[in-house]
Protein backbone atom coordinates (compact mmCIF):
# COMPACT_ATOMS: atom_id res chain seq x y z
CA UNK A 1 0.00 0.00 0.00
CA UNK A 2 2.82 2.36 0.88
CA UNK A 3 4.26 2.14 -2.60
CA UNK A 4 0.93 2.84 -4.19
CA UNK A 5 0.67 6.03 -2.17
CA UNK A 6 4.15 6.91 -3.34
CA UNK A 7 2.97 6.36 -6.89
CA UNK A 8 0.30 9.02 -6.37
CA UNK A 9 2.80 11.86 -6.17
CA UNK A 10 3.09 13.98 -9.32
CA UNK A 11 6.00 13.25 -11.61
CA UNK A 12 8.15 15.74 -13.50
CA UNK A 13 7.47 15.39 -17.20
CA UNK A 14 10.94 14.35 -18.29
CA UNK A 15 10.25 11.10 -20.10
CA UNK A 16 10.37 11.06 -23.89
CA UNK A 17 7.11 10.22 -25.65
CA UNK A 18 6.43 6.54 -26.17
CA UNK A 19 7.74 5.40 -29.53
CA UNK A 20 5.10 4.14 -31.94
CA UNK A 21 6.97 0.93 -32.63
CA UNK A 22 7.53 -1.94 -30.30
CA UNK A 23 4.98 -3.46 -28.01
CA UNK A 24 6.08 -3.67 -24.37
CA UNK A 25 4.40 -6.39 -22.32
CA UNK A 26 4.89 -7.06 -18.61
CA UNK A 27 4.19 -10.46 -17.06
CA UNK A 28 2.72 -9.73 -13.67
CA UNK A 29 1.04 -11.53 -10.80
CA UNK A 30 2.15 -10.89 -7.24
CA UNK A 31 1.75 -14.58 -6.54
CA UNK A 32 4.93 -16.61 -7.09
CA UNK A 33 5.04 -19.88 -8.98
CA UNK A 34 2.31 -19.07 -11.50
CA UNK A 35 4.61 -19.32 -14.58
CA UNK A 36 5.50 -15.66 -15.12
CA UNK A 37 9.13 -16.48 -15.89
CA UNK A 38 8.34 -19.61 -17.91
CA UNK A 39 5.82 -17.66 -19.98
CA UNK A 40 8.13 -14.68 -20.54
CA UNK A 41 10.90 -16.88 -21.97
CA UNK A 42 8.79 -19.26 -24.02
CA UNK A 43 6.51 -16.61 -25.50
CA UNK A 44 9.62 -14.60 -26.38
CA UNK A 45 11.18 -17.54 -28.21
CA UNK A 46 7.88 -18.33 -29.94
CA UNK A 47 7.62 -14.73 -31.17
CA UNK A 48 11.24 -14.91 -32.35
CA UNK A 49 10.38 -18.07 -34.33
CA UNK A 50 7.76 -15.94 -36.12
CA UNK A 51 10.53 -13.58 -37.18
CA UNK A 52 9.85 -10.95 -34.53
CA UNK A 53 12.70 -9.06 -32.88
CA UNK A 54 12.29 -9.72 -29.17
CA UNK A 55 13.96 -8.37 -26.05
CA UNK A 56 13.29 -9.88 -22.64
CA UNK A 57 14.03 -8.05 -19.41
CA UNK A 58 14.63 -9.89 -16.13
CA UNK A 59 13.31 -7.55 -13.45
CA UNK A 60 13.19 -10.18 -10.71
CA UNK A 61 16.11 -10.12 -8.21
CA UNK A 62 15.77 -13.92 -8.00
CA UNK A 63 17.07 -13.98 -11.58
CA UNK A 64 15.13 -17.04 -12.69
CA UNK A 65 14.79 -15.80 -16.27
CA UNK A 66 18.52 -15.11 -16.38
CA UNK A 67 19.19 -18.60 -14.98
CA UNK A 68 16.85 -20.18 -17.50
CA UNK A 69 19.20 -19.01 -20.26
CA UNK A 70 22.11 -20.74 -18.55
CA UNK A 71 23.57 -17.70 -16.78
CA UNK A 72 24.44 -17.37 -13.10
CA UNK A 73 22.93 -14.21 -11.54
CA UNK A 74 25.39 -14.47 -8.63
CA UNK A 75 28.41 -13.86 -10.84
CA UNK A 76 26.94 -11.26 -13.19
CA UNK A 77 28.74 -7.94 -12.81
CA UNK A 78 26.44 -5.49 -14.49
CA UNK A 79 22.70 -5.98 -14.52
CA UNK A 80 19.35 -4.23 -14.58
CA UNK A 81 20.34 -2.80 -11.19
CA UNK A 82 22.98 -0.63 -12.88
CA UNK A 83 20.55 0.29 -15.65
CA UNK A 84 17.82 1.42 -13.24
CA UNK A 85 19.95 2.98 -10.50
CA UNK A 86 23.09 4.20 -12.31
CA UNK A 87 21.52 4.74 -15.75
CA UNK A 88 23.93 2.36 -17.46
CA UNK A 89 22.80 2.04 -21.11
CA UNK A 90 20.56 -1.02 -21.45
CA UNK A 91 22.66 -2.51 -24.26
CA UNK A 92 25.49 -3.09 -21.79
CA UNK A 93 23.48 -5.69 -19.88
CA UNK A 94 21.91 -7.46 -22.86
CA UNK A 95 22.96 -11.09 -23.23
CA UNK A 96 22.45 -12.57 -26.68
CA UNK A 97 21.20 -16.14 -26.36
CA UNK A 98 18.08 -17.71 -27.81
CA UNK A 99 16.65 -14.21 -27.53
CA UNK A 100 18.10 -10.93 -26.26
CA UNK A 101 17.94 -10.79 -22.46
CA UNK A 102 18.66 -7.84 -20.17
CA UNK A 103 20.00 -9.72 -17.18
CA UNK A 104 19.21 -9.61 -13.48
CA UNK A 105 21.66 -10.12 -10.64
CA UNK A 106 21.36 -10.45 -6.90
CA UNK A 107 22.06 -6.67 -6.66
CA UNK A 108 18.65 -6.01 -8.08
CA UNK A 109 17.21 -6.82 -4.65
CA UNK A 110 18.61 -3.45 -3.54
CA UNK A 111 17.10 -1.51 -6.43
CA UNK A 112 13.77 -0.73 -4.75
CA UNK A 113 15.54 0.91 -1.84
CA UNK A 114 18.06 2.73 -4.03
CA UNK A 115 15.32 4.02 -6.34
CA UNK A 116 12.92 4.98 -3.57
CA UNK A 117 14.59 8.33 -2.87
CA UNK A 118 15.06 9.27 -6.54
CA UNK A 119 12.88 11.63 -8.54
CA UNK A 120 11.23 9.66 -11.31
CA UNK A 121 11.72 6.38 -9.47
CA UNK A 122 8.68 4.82 -11.15
CA UNK A 123 9.98 5.70 -14.62
CA UNK A 124 13.53 4.36 -14.48
CA UNK A 125 12.74 1.37 -16.70
CA UNK A 126 10.61 3.38 -19.14
CA UNK A 127 13.49 5.80 -19.55
CA UNK A 128 16.02 3.00 -20.04
CA UNK A 129 13.89 1.26 -22.68
CA UNK A 130 12.97 4.37 -24.67
CA UNK A 131 16.08 4.47 -26.94
CA UNK A 132 15.82 0.71 -27.68
CA UNK A 133 12.13 0.20 -28.29
CA UNK A 134 12.36 0.87 -32.01
CA UNK A 135 14.93 -1.94 -32.36
CA UNK A 136 12.46 -4.56 -31.18
CA UNK A 137 8.97 -5.68 -32.14
CA UNK A 138 8.32 -6.94 -28.63
CA UNK A 139 9.84 -6.24 -25.23
CA UNK A 140 8.73 -8.79 -22.61
CA UNK A 141 9.37 -7.96 -18.96
CA UNK A 142 9.46 -10.60 -16.21
CA UNK A 143 8.55 -9.19 -12.80
CA UNK A 144 9.05 -10.34 -9.20
CA UNK A 145 6.19 -11.80 -7.13
CA UNK A 146 5.18 -8.50 -5.52
CA UNK A 147 3.57 -5.20 -6.46
CA UNK A 148 6.60 -3.20 -5.30
CA UNK A 149 8.61 -0.55 -7.13
CA UNK A 150 10.21 -2.97 -9.61
CA UNK A 151 6.82 -4.24 -10.76
CA UNK A 152 5.50 -0.66 -10.84
CA UNK A 153 8.44 0.27 -13.09
CA UNK A 154 7.46 -2.60 -15.39
CA UNK A 155 3.80 -1.52 -15.51
CA UNK A 156 4.72 2.11 -16.17
CA UNK A 157 6.97 1.05 -19.07
CA UNK A 158 4.39 -1.32 -20.60
CA UNK A 159 1.57 -1.12 -23.10
CA UNK A 160 0.03 -4.40 -22.00
CA UNK A 161 0.12 -6.84 -19.11
CA UNK A 162 -0.17 -10.60 -19.38
CA UNK A 163 -1.31 -12.18 -16.13
CA UNK A 164 -0.43 -15.86 -15.78
CA UNK A 165 -2.80 -17.61 -13.40
CA UNK A 166 -2.29 -21.08 -12.03
CA UNK A 167 -5.46 -23.07 -12.62
CA UNK A 168 -4.98 -25.03 -9.43
CA UNK A 169 -4.88 -22.35 -6.80
CA UNK A 170 -6.91 -19.65 -8.42
CA UNK A 171 -6.88 -16.49 -6.36
CA UNK A 172 -9.32 -13.95 -7.74
CA UNK A 173 -8.59 -11.70 -4.80
CA UNK A 174 -5.00 -11.44 -5.97
CA UNK A 175 -6.22 -10.43 -9.42
CA UNK A 176 -8.42 -7.70 -7.97
CA UNK A 177 -5.39 -6.30 -6.16
CA UNK A 178 -3.41 -6.32 -9.41
CA UNK A 179 -6.27 -4.56 -11.20
CA UNK A 180 -6.38 -1.90 -8.47
CA UNK A 181 -2.65 -1.30 -8.86
CA UNK A 182 -3.10 -1.03 -12.61
CA UNK A 183 -5.88 1.52 -12.34
CA UNK A 184 -3.75 3.64 -10.01
CA UNK A 185 -0.92 3.44 -12.51
CA UNK A 186 -3.29 4.47 -15.30
CA UNK A 187 -4.48 7.46 -13.25
CA UNK A 188 -1.06 8.67 -12.25
CA UNK A 189 1.75 7.35 -14.39
CA UNK A 190 0.75 5.54 -17.59
CA UNK A 191 -2.78 6.07 -18.96
CA UNK A 192 -2.24 3.47 -21.70
CA UNK A 193 -1.42 0.31 -19.77
CA UNK A 194 -4.10 -2.39 -19.81
CA UNK A 195 -4.43 -6.09 -19.19
CA UNK A 196 -3.70 -7.69 -22.54
CA UNK A 197 -4.70 -11.15 -21.44
CA UNK A 198 -5.07 -13.62 -18.63
CA UNK A 199 -3.18 -16.83 -19.23
CA UNK A 200 -4.37 -20.05 -17.57
CA UNK A 201 -1.25 -22.04 -16.69
CA UNK A 202 -0.49 -25.47 -15.20
CA UNK A 203 -3.83 -26.61 -16.56
CA UNK A 204 -4.73 -30.24 -16.00
CA UNK A 205 -7.82 -30.84 -18.11
CA UNK A 206 -8.46 -34.20 -16.45
CA UNK A 207 -9.49 -32.56 -13.21
CA UNK A 208 -12.85 -30.90 -12.68
CA UNK A 209 -11.10 -28.40 -10.42
CA UNK A 210 -8.92 -27.06 -13.22
CA UNK A 211 -11.83 -26.81 -15.64
CA UNK A 212 -13.87 -24.95 -13.04
CA UNK A 213 -10.98 -22.59 -12.40
CA UNK A 214 -10.91 -21.62 -16.08
CA UNK A 215 -14.71 -21.17 -16.09
CA UNK A 216 -14.46 -18.82 -13.13
CA UNK A 217 -11.78 -16.83 -14.95
CA UNK A 218 -13.98 -16.57 -18.05
CA UNK A 219 -17.03 -15.51 -16.02
CA UNK A 220 -14.99 -12.72 -14.45
CA UNK A 221 -12.79 -11.62 -17.33
CA UNK A 222 -14.58 -12.77 -20.50
CA UNK A 223 -12.54 -12.34 -23.67
CA UNK A 224 -9.51 -11.20 -21.69
CA UNK A 225 -8.79 -14.87 -20.98
CA UNK A 226 -6.49 -16.25 -23.69
CA UNK A 227 -7.86 -19.25 -25.56
CA UNK A 228 -4.51 -20.99 -25.18
CA UNK A 229 -4.26 -23.18 -22.10
CA UNK A 230 -0.76 -23.94 -20.84
CA UNK A 231 -0.99 -27.52 -19.67
CA UNK A 232 0.82 -28.94 -16.73
CA UNK A 233 3.95 -30.84 -17.73
CA UNK A 234 7.38 -31.40 -16.28
CA UNK A 235 8.94 -30.26 -19.59
CA UNK A 236 8.69 -26.64 -18.39
CA UNK A 237 10.83 -27.47 -15.37
CA UNK A 238 13.31 -29.61 -17.33
CA UNK A 239 14.13 -27.07 -20.06
CA UNK A 240 15.63 -24.30 -17.86
CA UNK A 241 17.97 -26.81 -16.23
CA UNK A 242 19.57 -27.13 -19.68
CA UNK A 243 19.53 -23.35 -20.10
CA UNK A 244 16.95 -23.60 -22.84
CA UNK A 245 13.41 -22.59 -23.68
CA UNK A 246 11.01 -25.47 -24.07
CA UNK A 247 10.82 -24.61 -27.78
CA UNK A 248 14.50 -25.42 -28.18
CA UNK A 249 14.53 -28.24 -25.61
CA UNK A 250 11.73 -30.19 -27.27
CA UNK A 251 10.75 -28.36 -30.46
CA UNK A 252 8.10 -30.85 -31.55
CA UNK A 253 6.44 -31.28 -28.15
CA UNK A 254 3.04 -30.05 -27.03
CA UNK A 255 4.64 -27.82 -24.37
CA UNK A 256 6.43 -25.86 -27.12
CA UNK A 257 3.32 -25.82 -29.28
CA UNK A 258 1.27 -24.19 -26.51
CA UNK A 259 3.51 -21.12 -26.48
CA UNK A 260 3.45 -20.97 -30.29
CA UNK A 261 -0.34 -20.78 -30.07
CA UNK A 262 -0.05 -18.06 -27.46
CA UNK A 263 2.34 -16.14 -29.73
CA UNK A 264 -0.28 -16.20 -32.50
CA UNK A 265 -2.93 -14.90 -30.11
CA UNK A 266 -0.65 -12.12 -28.93
CA UNK A 267 0.24 -11.09 -32.50
CA UNK A 268 -3.41 -11.14 -33.63
CA UNK A 269 -4.55 -9.26 -30.54
CA UNK A 270 -2.09 -6.49 -31.27
CA UNK A 271 -3.45 -6.20 -34.81
CA UNK A 272 -7.03 -6.08 -33.59
CA UNK A 273 -6.20 -3.25 -31.22
CA UNK A 274 -4.43 -1.28 -33.93
CA UNK A 275 -7.49 -1.53 -36.18
CA UNK A 276 -9.91 -0.67 -33.40
N1 LIG B 1 2.74 -25.42 -17.34
C1 LIG B 1 3.54 -25.84 -16.36
N2 LIG B 1 3.43 -27.11 -15.89
C2 LIG B 1 4.22 -27.56 -14.89
N3 LIG B 1 5.17 -26.83 -14.30
C3 LIG B 1 5.34 -25.55 -14.72
C4 LIG B 1 4.54 -25.00 -15.76
N4 LIG B 1 4.95 -23.73 -15.96
C5 LIG B 1 5.95 -23.50 -15.10
N5 LIG B 1 6.19 -24.59 -14.34
C6 LIG B 1 7.19 -24.73 -13.27
O1 LIG B 1 6.64 -24.13 -12.11
C7 LIG B 1 7.63 -23.41 -11.40
C8 LIG B 1 7.23 -21.94 -11.29
O2 LIG B 1 7.23 -21.36 -12.59
P1 LIG B 1 7.84 -19.91 -12.83
O3 LIG B 1 7.72 -19.62 -14.29
O4 LIG B 1 9.18 -19.81 -12.23
O5 LIG B 1 6.79 -19.04 -12.00
P2 LIG B 1 6.90 -17.51 -11.48
O6 LIG B 1 7.87 -16.81 -12.35
O7 LIG B 1 5.49 -16.98 -11.60
O8 LIG B 1 7.33 -17.59 -10.06
C9 LIG B 1 8.93 -23.64 -12.15
O9 LIG B 1 9.62 -24.69 -11.57
C10 LIG B 1 8.47 -23.99 -13.55
O10 LIG B 1 9.41 -24.81 -14.21
MG1 LIG C 1 9.59 -15.79 -11.81
Amino acid sequence: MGLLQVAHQPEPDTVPQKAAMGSVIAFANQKGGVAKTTSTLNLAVALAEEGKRVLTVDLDPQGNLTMSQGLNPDTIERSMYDVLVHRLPLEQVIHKGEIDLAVSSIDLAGAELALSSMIGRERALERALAPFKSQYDYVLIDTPPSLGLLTINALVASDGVIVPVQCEYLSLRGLVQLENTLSMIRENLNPNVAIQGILPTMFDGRTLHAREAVEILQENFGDLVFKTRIRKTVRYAEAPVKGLSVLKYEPGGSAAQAYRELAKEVMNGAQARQHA
Side-chain angles (χ1 to χ4, degrees), residues 144-215:
S146 82
L147 296 174
L149 196 46
L150 285 168
T151 300
I152 289 175
N153 261 274
L155 299 177
V156 170
S158 294
D159 309 302
V161 183
I162 292 180
V163 187
V165 175
Q166 190 179 350
C167 294
E168 257 173 60
Y169 304 101
L170 186 56
S171 169
L172 287 172
R173 276 187 67 205
L175 294 185
V176 170
Q177 210 183 333
L178 177 61
E179 280 196 309
N180 288 343
T181 302
L182 266 177
S183 53
M184 277 188 240
I185 294 204
R186 265 194 298 273
E187 263 173 49
N188 295 284
L189 293 158
N190 177 7
N192 302 316
V193 67
I195 292 186
Q196 178 155 354
I198 299 195
L199 177 65
T201 64
M202 303 184 198
F203 179 73
D204 182 350
R206 293 167 304 181
T207 69
L208 178 62
H209 177 66
R211 293 198 301 272
E212 280 177 352
V214 172
E215 275 170 28

Side-chain angles (χ1 to χ4, degrees), residues 41-267:
L41 175 64
N42 290 297
L43 176 61
V45 174
L47 288 166
E49 278 188 1
E50 293 287 332
K52 302 295 179 190
R53 298 164 303 166
V54 187
L55 171 68
T56 56
V57 178
D58 190 352
L59 219 57
D60 184 350
Q62 293 178 74
N64 290 342
L65 180 62
T66 301
M67 286 158 67
S68 71
Q69 284 287 277
L71 303 169
N72 180 355
D74 295 341
T75 58
I76 280 169
E77 277 180 22
R78 288 183 301 186
S79 73
M80 284 306 296
Y81 175 88
D82 304 278
V83 172
L84 297 176
V85 177
H86 300 310
R87 297 199 178 197
L88 186 74
L90 188 73
E91 66 202 356
Q92 297 196 24
V93 304
I94 293 179
H95 171 265
K96 305 245 173 199
E98 282 181 81
I99 27 81
D100 288 7
L101 163 66
V103 295
S104 164
S105 69
I106 193 69
D107 295 352
L108 195 55
E112 299 211 341
L113 188 60
L115 284 172
S116 64
S117 60
M118 292 183 185
I119 291 175
R121 67 200 140 209
E122 296 96 348
R123 297 198 186 275
L125 180 62
E126 182 184 37
R127 199 183 285 115
L129 283 177
F132 295 91
K133 274 172 67 169
S134 61
Q135 295 176 24
Y136 293 98
D137 299 307
Y138 290 94
V139 179
L140 306 188
I141 308 167
D142 188 23
T143 68
S146 82
L147 296 174
L149 196 46
L150 285 168
T151 300
I152 289 175
N153 261 274
L155 299 177
V156 170
S158 294
D159 309 302
V161 183
I162 292 180
V163 187
V165 175
Q166 190 179 350
C167 294
E168 257 173 60
Y169 304 101
L170 186 56
S171 169
L172 287 172
R173 276 187 67 205
L175 294 185
V176 170
Q177 210 183 333
L178 177 61
E179 280 196 309
N180 288 343
T181 302
L182 266 177
S183 53
M184 277 188 240
I185 294 204
R186 265 194 298 273
E187 263 173 49
N188 295 284
L189 293 158
N190 177 7
N192 302 316
V193 67
I195 292 186
Q196 178 155 354
I198 299 195
L199 177 65
T201 64
M202 303 184 198
F203 179 73
D204 182 350
R206 293 167 304 181
T207 69
L208 178 62
H209 177 66
R211 293 198 301 272
E212 280 177 352
V214 172
E215 275 170 28
I216 292 169
L217 277 180
Q218 284 168 331
E219 278 162 22
N220 283 273
F221 295 95
D223 286 346
L224 271 186
V225 182
F226 283 114
K227 294 189 178 55
T228 305
R229 311 267 172 272
I230 307 296
R231 289 180 177 274
K232 187 185 224 170
T233 156
V234 73
R235 294 288 177 268
Y236 294 114
E238 290 171 355
V241 178
K242 304 283 181 204
L244 297 173
S245 70
V246 87
L247 287 89
K248 185 120 191 234
Y249 177 69
E250 196 184 52
S254 58
Q257 196 52 33
Y259 280 97
R260 290 190 189 109
E261 277 167 31
L262 179 64
K264 295 216 166 72
E265 276 198 76
V266 167
M267 290 185 303

